[in-house]
Amino acid sequence: MACAAEYADLLIERMGSNPLQILIAIQKAFNHVPDDAICGVASALGLPISRILGDVEFYSFLSREPLGTYSVLMSDSITDWMLGSRELFLRLCGNLGVGPGVTRCDGLATVGKTSCTGMCDQGPALLVNGLAVTNLTDDRVDAISRLMEKQIPLVAWPDEYFHVESNIRQRGWLFQDWQGPILEGEALLQEMTDAGLKGRGGAGYPTAKKWASCRDAPGRERYVVCNADEGEPGTFKDRVLLQHCAGRLFEGMALCARTVGAKKGFLYIRGEYRYLEAHLETQLAARRDADFEIELHWGAGAYICGEESALLESIEGKRGIPRVRPPFPVTFGLHGMPTVVDNVETFCAAAAIAAGGGSEFRSLGTAGSCGTKLLSVSGDCARPGIYEYSFGVSVNRILEDCGAGNVLAVQVGGAAGSCLEASEFDRKICFEDLPTSGSVMVFDRTRNMREAALNFSRFFAHESCGFCTPCRVGTGILAQAMERISEGRGTEADISEIGNLGGILKASHCGLGQSANRAVRDMQRKFPEHFEGGVN
Ligand SMILES: Cc1cc2nc3c(=O)[nH]c(=O)nc-3n(C[C@H](O)[C@H](O)[C@H](O)COP(=O)(O)O)c2cc1C
Ligand code: SF4
């Protein structure tokens, strides 16, 4: 193979000038990003070396140090912990004779951790050289260890290891095959307004209003971006939509493009979903729309890139640091041009409304939350997976349908969401009560919520981009307090710190920092007995 710098030149010729996508390809080819490749990419693209170095250091799937031939990342999400991932991690390290995060001296393997693989319904899961392996057991971990020791290439590993089940448990309005005459432009905006479509990525902004603002903003060109970063622990519904409804998603993006006047779109997809690449490329190739091109843009292991302005920075090939807002992407988005950023489910819903689903959509849900919502249900239940409900469904109903018994707590909205105790299970999923991008995690009475609090606090400390002090420092303090409490070394000061940090974190620059202590504080308030054991 060519040396890394020459390879960088070759890649730029083949793949274009996006530094992040080039660095991901270099990482794959060399198991790291060598220094000469960093210099090579910088010089070929006319960018400062510090900018490329900044990318390599920011994205957790890129590394300056050589990783093993097999680079393994075990999911560290709370639902995987509940299924034994920590024990399996140690077993894998033991089998291979390698320390956590350290590359074996013969270069065979590196075994580290990653925040969440998006496989919470079929965990424990890991990534090996970027591909997800699901349903891990002791036997599967032992078999994988043997395959690695024998240096068997991944293509010769059993297919079932890489099988990703869709687990669609309940279909509703969105999964129907809407086939009517397609509305476009002003007619579509009106239909979406009448239907009451709001964004499905969490914030619930009215979609038609966003598209109209982008269309009306001054700009030489416009962009349409689909947010498929789906990094919130416990969320995996976009994975299933990308698998089953990619055609409808691209149709929704194209309808948006025609409405706002965009010629170019991006699907920003988390690196953990690399197994979907061939499927998505085939679906894109089958599109016949010369006026609107859609490009895949792969993430590289940074939860913050789900925040829309960080995502745009990332598409521009920079570190995913959230921008100061306003201006919002609809006026100042990709390359400073008006841009619509919407969630996968939002574009799918828009396409279904355009094909005749508008009035039925309007008739479903609650006054402030029309239509249906896909929920990703995981944790202690018999039937984890995807459930489509009309907005307004109660937590009790979800628990009944997914086969959850003896339930202690339900976490709605992922690590950034709310933790509910049993007396709150009659609350409803909707923007007026419990808004969520889709994550519902179930904890039964055998669980200690201190574990969940520890997991979430570590998650935020790890995923904070470090740009602003309240979040960088606050998430660190929170994680340290939870570490002490979990090890039985906590103090009363640690307990009060959990509550008090809210004031500091509120001053954070973006939603990550602002919501970082919400779940931990809920858990400590509702289950104080779980925390008391850890306090001297
Ligand atoms: C820390 C953080 C992470 C986010 N992650 C996602 C994500 O993975 N997917 C998503 O669609 N929106 C995510 N969002 C919300 C986006 O910023 C944005 O509101 C959304 O993509 C807009 O699309 P919608 O109007 O269709 O919901 C995140 C926001 C924050 C603050
Ligand atoms: S709040 Fe956290 S994630 Fe957001 S900009 Fe500040 S440091 Fe970065």
Side-chain angles (χ1 to χ4, degrees), residues 169-355:
R169 309 284 183 177
Q170 180 157 303
R171 293 167 188 266
W173 176 89
L174 190 64
F175 279 113
Q176 279 181 59
D177 186 19
W178 293 101
Q179 291 283 5
I182 305 287
L183 296 175
E184 287 189 21
E186 201 52 52
L188 174 56
L189 286 181
Q190 192 56 54
E191 187 73 6
M192 285 179 6
T193 306
D194 294 345
L197 176 62
K198 291 179 177 174
R200 268 41 186 164
Y205 191 81
T207 307
K209 204 167 154 192
K210 187 190 285 187
W211 292 16
S213 305
C214 179
R215 179 196 59 187
D216 297 341
R220 216 177 42 252
E221 50 201 356
R222 271 149 240 283
Y223 296 99
V224 172
V225 174
C226 175
N227 188 343
D229 197 49
E230 192 160 63
E232 193 64 58
T235 315
F236 46 88
K237 48 105 188 166
D238 292 341
R239 181 196 88 208
V240 174
L241 285 174
L242 291 165
Q243 178 78 65
H244 292 270
C245 305
R248 178 173 303 168
L249 163 65
F250 296 142
E251 174 68 12
M253 292 176 71
L255 286 166
C256 176
R258 288 203 279 281
T259 304
V260 306
K263 300 258 172 271
K264 174 95 191 174
F266 292 88
L267 171 60
Y268 189 104
I269 178 166
R270 65 184 311 207
E272 289 82 347
Y273 293 168
R274 186 59 83 160
Y275 75 98
L276 287 170
E277 184 171 16
H279 165 68
L280 292 171
E281 291 289 7
T282 306
Q283 296 281 321
L284 280 177
R287 290 182 65 242
R288 286 190 189 81
D289 185 347
D291 295 331
F292 178 59
E293 186 203 355
I294 300 176
E295 194 174 310
L296 294 187
H297 184 100
W298 292 94
Y303 163 71
I304 189 57
C305 288
E307 194 281 336
E308 59 185 9
S309 66
L311 180 146
L312 296 174
E313 290 285 295
S314 183
I315 296 181
E316 290 180 9
K318 302 181 209 149
R319 293 175 301 154
I321 307 273
R323 295 175 179 171
V324 174
R325 299 182 320 157
F328 292 98
V330 282
T331 54
F332 189 89
L334 194 60
H335 307 300
M337 295 294 145
T339 302
V340 168
V341 182
D342 271 329
N343 177 255
V344 176
E345 191 180 345
T346 313
F347 280 123
C348 288
I353 289 172

Side-chain angles (χ1 to χ4, degrees), residues 447-482:
R447 305 294 174 187
N448 187 324
M449 297 311 289
R450 196 169 74 191
E451 286 277 281
L454 173 68
N455 183 285
F456 290 171
S457 64
R458 278 189 189 160
F459 170 79
F460 285 117
H462 181 256
E463 296 295 343
S464 166
C465 81
F467 169 74
C468 67
T469 311
C471 171
R472 187 180 61 248
V473 176
T475 54
I477 294 175
L478 183 64
Q480 284 161 16
M482 275 316 308

